[in-house]
Amino acid sequence: MTGPTQDAKTVSAGAVAYSPREMMAIAAGRFVKDGDVLFAGTGVAMLAAAVAKRIHAPHAHIFFETGGIGPPLDELPMAVADPRVMAYGSLNAGLVEAFSYVANRRLHTIAFLGAAQIDRYGNLNSTVIGDYLAPKVRFSGSGGACDAGSLASGYIVFMQHGVEKFVEKLDYLTTPGWLEGGDSRRRAGFRRGGPIAVVTDLCVLKFHEETHEMYLAERYEGVTPEQVQQHTGFPLDVSRSSVAAPPTGEELRILRDDVDPQRLILGG
Amino acid sequence: MLAGAFVVNGPGALDEGDVMPQHDMLDGKLMTVDEAVERFVHDGGQVCVGGFTINRNPMAVVYGIARRRVKDLHLVAHSNGQALDVLVGTGCVRRLDIAYGGNGRFASTCFRFRKAVERGEVQIEDYTNNQMSLRFLAGALNVPFIPSKSGLGTDVVERSGLPPEARGDGVPREKVVVLGDPFDDGDDQVVLLPALTPDVSIIHAQQVGTGGTVRIKGLTFADLEQCKAATAVIVSCEEIVPEEYLRIDPDQNALPPFLVDAVVPVPYGAHPTACRYFYDYDPVHLNHYKAVARDDEQFAAWLDEWVYGIESWDHYLDKVGGARLARIRANTVDGYAPGLDRR
C-alpha cells in the first residue's frame, strides 16, 4: 500500500487505519483557527467545519448561505438547507443577509467549497463538462460557490485528485480564483479573496504568493510527489512539499463517533 | 362554495365534502391547490418557487401544476431542489433562471434537471445564489437592475445560455452588464443584474392567520423577496391559526396579508422536503426518488404513481404511510427529527 488513492479504501498509519475522505476532512479542519468565521457548503466542507469546531476551534462561527448563522451542528446537516442548520444558532435569516456576512468588510470569512474541475489558479467549474451550450455532463451550477469566491476573504477547496479534475483549462469558469494569476484578480474588480488551499485525497496544495500558481505544500503519508504530479493535468511545483501529520486517534474518534456516526458524508 | 363555509375538495386538499370553517378575513383567498393553480399558474408564465434544496419546497402545489400539465413555464429560483426536478421532469418548464439544481446528498445534481439540460429540452440561464436573491430584491424594490460583486471574470458573467432570439418579450436584453463604479475614478467594477418580477411566487409556510398574516419558522431563504417581487403570491401552509395569535408576536411574522393572493392549507405540503417544527425531510422517499429518477421509464412509472395517479392529498399521505410520517415528525423543541435514520 503506497498511499490513500481513489482505489484504496484505507491507509494504515501505524495502528490506526483511515480513509482518504477522513484525512481530507481532518486536513481541511486544521486550516480553521479558533474564532474564524466560516462559510460552509455541502459535503466534506460540513465535516471539516464540524471537526474543527469540536477539536481546536470551539469558538469558530459556522454559517451557511441559506441564512443559518452559528449553529452548533449537534447533528450533521446533509445540505445547507437542512433543518439542522436552523437549530440553536445565533439567528436564522435568509440569503441576502447571509451574503452580507460573506462580503462583510469587518469579517474575515473563509469559505469551504467543492467543484468538478479546478485549474492551476484555483478557478473552479461546477457547471458543465463539455460545451456549455450542449454539455456532455450538466452539474448543479454555482449555487453560492461563485459568490463565496467573489465575496469572501478566502476559500479552501475539496477535490478528489485526478487528471480529469485538475485541468489545464476549465470547461466553464464558475467560481473566480486567481483568474489568470498575478494581479488579474484585482484587475477584474475584486478587492479581496481568492483560493488559499486545495485539499485532496492525496495532498494539500497552496498558491504561490506572487504568481498565484498552485504548488504542492503537503502530501499525506505514503504519497510521493511524483504520484501527485501524475494525478494533476498541469505541471506542478512539487519541490517544496513536506509530509502532513496523519490523523490522530482522537481526531478520528471525534470524526467517526461524534460528527458523522451515520457515515452520511464519510461514506463506506 | 357554501355560504359561511368553505368546501375543500379535489386533489391537493382534504377529502371531497370536508367542510372547513370559513375565515371571513381571508376574503375568498382560501382555496384548494387546484383552484390556486388554475387561477394563478398559466402556460408560458414566469413562476418562482420558494424553499431551498431539501427544505420547504411547495410540493403539494408543484404536484398540482404537474397534474394540470401546465406548459412552457419560465422557472426562476436560486437553489431549488425537489420542486425544480419535478417541474422539469414533468415537462412543465421551457426555460430556467437558476443558481443551482441539486438536492444535497440525495442528488448532487438533480436527475431530471440534468437530463433535460443535457438533452437540450430546456433553456437555462445560470446565475448565482447571491445574484438570484438580489434580482428578486430588485423586483421587490421596483428598480430595473441591481449591482453585485459576484461573478466578475467568470463565465457566469461572460456566457449566456439563451439563443439571441430568446431575448425580448420579458427576457432582458443582456444577461448581465459589467460597469465601472460611476461614483469613483478608480478601477472598481460591479455586475449589474436585471430585476425579476415573476407572474407568481409559490411558497410553503408553517402558519397563516385567519386574517392572512404569514409566519415562516426557520430560515426564510429568499422567500420574502420572491413574494414581494411577484405579481401574485400563493402560500400553502401547515396550519390556519387565529390571526390574534400571530399578532401577539409580530416579530415572528414573514408576510402581511395584503401581499397574499391564495392561501392553501395542506398539512405535510412540503413533503418530501422538510418543514421546521413540523417534519424533517423524508430520506426513504428521497432515496426512492434517487433510485428511479435516473431512468426514463422508471421515472414515468413513479410519476403515474406519485403525481398523476394521486386522487387527493389524503390519498398521497396514506401512500406515504402513517408510520413514516410519524418517524419524520419534528421534535417540537429541536425543529427536526433527532436521530432519524438519514442513510
Side-chain angles (χ1 to χ4, degrees), chain B:
Chain B
M1 193 184 300
L2 303 174
F6 188 75
V7 181
V8 184
N9 56 25
L14 308 177
D15 274 351
E16 190 167 343
D18 275 5
V19 177
M20 287 178 55
Q22 173 67 291
H23 303 298
D24 294 339
M25 292 290 288
L26 282 175
D27 286 336
K29 291 176 182 174
L30 198 62
M31 54 187 87
T32 65
V33 165
D34 288 351
E35 286 168 331
V37 170
E38 185 181 351
R39 270 177 68 179
F40 296 109
V41 183
H42 306 299
D43 289 357
Q46 191 180 96
V47 172
C48 176
V49 287
F52 196 110
T53 60
I54 52 170
N55 210 297
R56 269 196 318 96
N57 285 212
M59 294 309 299
V61 178
V62 162
Y63 294 139
I65 294 171
R67 274 196 310 270
R68 202 174 163 78
R69 302 193 190 249
V70 178
K71 288 279 171 264
D72 295 330
L73 293 179
H74 182 183
L75 183 64
V76 294
H78 40 76
S79 289
N80 209 268
Q82 198 64 11
L84 166 125
D85 212 41
V86 170
L87 285 173
V88 170
T90 49
C92 296
V93 176
R94 182 166 57 106
R95 180 179 299 152
L96 293 155
D97 279 29
I98 58 163
Y100 189 82
N103 225 0
R105 192 172 151 274
F106 298 106
S108 55
T109 304
C110 285
F111 301 103
R112 304 313 300 183
F113 159 75
R114 174 180 168 169
K115 275 190 193 296
V117 176
E118 288 173 2
R119 290 168 176 171
E121 292 166 354
V122 291
Q123 294 177 343
I124 177 164
E125 198 71 307
D126 277 286
Y127 287 94
T128 74
N129 275 343
N130 184 40
Q131 290 175 340
M132 288 304 292
S133 306
L134 289 173
R135 295 182 71 196
F136 293 122
L137 178 63
L141 293 169
N142 201 18
V143 293
F145 57 86
I146 192 165
S148 159
K149 293 295 274 186
S150 285
L152 291 163
T154 70
D155 286 331
V156 176
V157 160
E158 297 294 328
R159 304 206 62 182
S160 169
L162 299 187
E165 62 270 20
R167 304 218 166 263
D169 190 27
V171 178
R173 203 167 60 195
E174 302 284 348
K175 181 183 179 186
V176 299
V177 172
V178 176
L179 180 76
D181 178 357
F183 295 96
D184 190 274
D185 295 333
D187 58 356
D188 204 6
Q189 302 211 84
V190 293
V191 178
L192 301 184
L193 305 158
L196 278 169
T197 51
D199 295 317
V200 58
S201 278
I202 306 161
I203 65 164
H204 186 74
Q206 279 85 352
Q207 293 173 325
V208 177
T210 48
T213 293
V214 177
R215 178 167 291 182
I216 294 173
K217 299 301 291 178
L219 307 180
T220 49
F221 308 121
D223 284 14
L224 311 185
E225 290 83 0
Q226 290 170 359
C227 289
K228 287 183 272 197
T231 306
V233 171
I234 299 173
V235 182
S236 60
C237 62
E238 294 297 319
E239 296 179 338
I240 303 282
V241 298
E243 183 74 8
E244 299 77 14
Y245 166 74
L246 296 184
R247 289 180 182 236
I248 292 168
D249 192 0
D251 300 8
Q252 300 287 327
N253 297 336
L255 288 169
F258 50 81
L259 275 183
V260 179
D261 299 279
V263 176
V264 184
V266 199
Y268 286 96
H271 180 273
T273 71
C275 186
R276 176 161 159 83
Y277 289 121
F278 282 79
Y279 43 92
D280 219 315
Y281 43 85
D282 184 343
V284 175
H285 194 96
L286 288 166
N287 278 326
H288 178 59
Y289 185 89
K290 179 181 181 174
V292 300
R294 303 164 191 273
D295 178 84
D296 289 351
E297 275 181 32
Q298 288 187 58
F299 181 69
W302 183 89
L303 285 180
D304 283 339
E305 183 181 355
W306 284 97
V307 180
Y308 301 131
I310 294 295
E311 291 156 17
S312 69
W313 193 246
D314 281 3
H315 180 205
Y316 178 88
L317 295 180
D318 282 347
K319 273 184 71 64
V320 177
R324 177 109 57 81
L325 293 176
R327 270 203 300 276
I328 65 169
R329 193 173 68 122
N331 178 290
T332 52
V333 177
D334 296 315
Y336 56 91
L340 176 68
D341 186 348
R342 297 182 284 143
R343 283 168 291 187

Side-chain angles (χ1 to χ4, degrees), chain A residues 4 21 98 107 132 135 144 146 170 174 181 216:
Chain A
R21 191 168 278 208
L107 302 176
Y132 177 55
C146 173
L170 303 177
T174 312
L216 177 61

Side-chain angles (χ1 to χ4, degrees), chain A residues 128-228:
Chain A
V128 294
I129 296 294
D131 178 4
Y132 177 55
L133 296 177
K136 189 159 157 273
V137 182
R138 172 70 207 197
F139 295 117
S140 58
S142 162
C146 173
D147 306 311
S150 300
L151 307 175
S153 309
Y155 65 85
I156 292 163
V157 187
F158 295 98
M159 303 277 296
Q160 294 290 316
H161 219 128
V163 287
E164 74 292 351
K165 289 170 180 288
F166 283 69
V167 296
E168 193 70 56
K169 184 166 173 28
L170 303 177
D171 290 1
Y172 183 99
L173 200 169
T174 312
T175 297
W178 297 112
L179 294 177
E180 291 149 27
D183 67 344
S184 59
R185 183 178 167 92
R186 184 174 170 87
R187 279 188 281 113
F190 294 118
R191 292 294 170 267
R192 70 174 193 180
I196 298 165
V198 184
V199 177
T200 81
D201 49 334
L202 298 179
C203 61
V204 175
L205 304 136
K206 292 183 180 172
F207 296 88
H208 187 275
E209 295 73 11
E210 296 289 321
T211 65
H212 292 127
E213 272 193 70
M214 193 185 290
Y215 69 90
L216 177 61
E218 290 185 349
R219 53 192 200 276
Y220 304 152
E221 60 174 358
V223 177
T224 65
E226 293 70 31
Q227 257 181 305
V228 174

